Amino acid sequence: MYTKEEQNLMAEAKEAAKHAYSPYSKFKVGAALITQKGNIYKGANVENASYSLCICAERNAATQAVFHNDLDLKTIAIYVDSDISFPPCGACRQFLSEFSNDLQVIFFNDKESKKVSLSELLPYSFKLFY
Ligand code: THU
């Protein structure tokens, strides 16, 4: 069901979750994405006492790719160390759509996993550059 590349990305996402700073929610989220060039970038969620400033793992991973001017995202794997697994939040869906044509999104925990495309998660996304 998952290619070797995707399985590797999932392992990287699980590793990334260890770097979360989440003393408030206690959700440790890790994201690993691979670009069309084949490079991998990772991120974890970072929370703040001023709760609305929390940054999701997905956006932290995407900003790493942008920092390296590697703007064409192919697949992102998102792991959460919890009983419930969740797809990217709405803000992350929009953020990721800026840098992909049709990103594959894998979200999983230790019990289950799902693979969907970003266009399924965010149809009619808002874009100024195509
Ligand atoms: N979180 C993510 O990292 N990604 C998402 O797509 C949803 C939520 C984080 C933010 C916060 O640190 C914690 O999970 C609970 O919302």
Side-chain angles (χ1 to χ4, degrees):
M1 182 185 178
Y2 294 106
T3 64
K4 276 264 176 303
E5 182 176 282
E6 290 167 343
Q7 286 172 26
N8 179 48
L9 209 55
M10 290 166 82
E12 294 279 16
K14 191 166 175 175
E15 194 284 326
K18 294 179 190 157
H19 301 267
Y21 174 75
S22 52
Y24 304 103
S25 76
K26 316 271 195 250
F27 282 107
K28 288 181 173 292
V29 187
L33 62 83
I34 188 163
T35 62
Q36 295 290 354
K37 285 185 186 167
N39 298 317
I40 291 177
Y41 301 96
K42 300 196 281 183
N45 55 328
V46 178
E47 300 186 342
N48 191 275
S50 180
Y51 298 160
S52 64
L53 297 180
C54 292
I55 309 174
C56 295
E58 297 91 319
R59 270 176 285 158
N60 278 335
T63 54
Q64 291 301 309
V66 175
F67 182 86
H68 290 91
N69 196 30
D70 199 354
L71 303 184
D72 200 358
L73 312 185
K74 181 181 176 191
T75 308
I76 187 166
I78 305 145
Y79 171 81
V80 61
D81 180 17
S82 160
D83 280 351
I84 53 160
S85 67
F86 41 72
C89 77
C92 286
R93 294 177 197 196
Q94 175 62 29
F95 197 88
L96 292 167
S97 76
E98 180 80 14
F99 306 109
S100 61
N101 274 325
D102 200 11
L103 185 71
Q104 293 301 300
V105 179
I106 299 165
F107 56 97
F108 67 108
N109 60 11
D110 289 324
K111 286 193 314 203
E112 58 189 9
S113 67
K114 268 205 179 83
K115 182 163 85 169
V116 291
S117 67
L118 188 59
S119 60
E120 284 175 78
L121 294 173
L122 187 68
Y124 301 101
S125 68
F126 174 67
K127 276 188 172 184
L128 298 178
F129 300 113
Y130 281 87

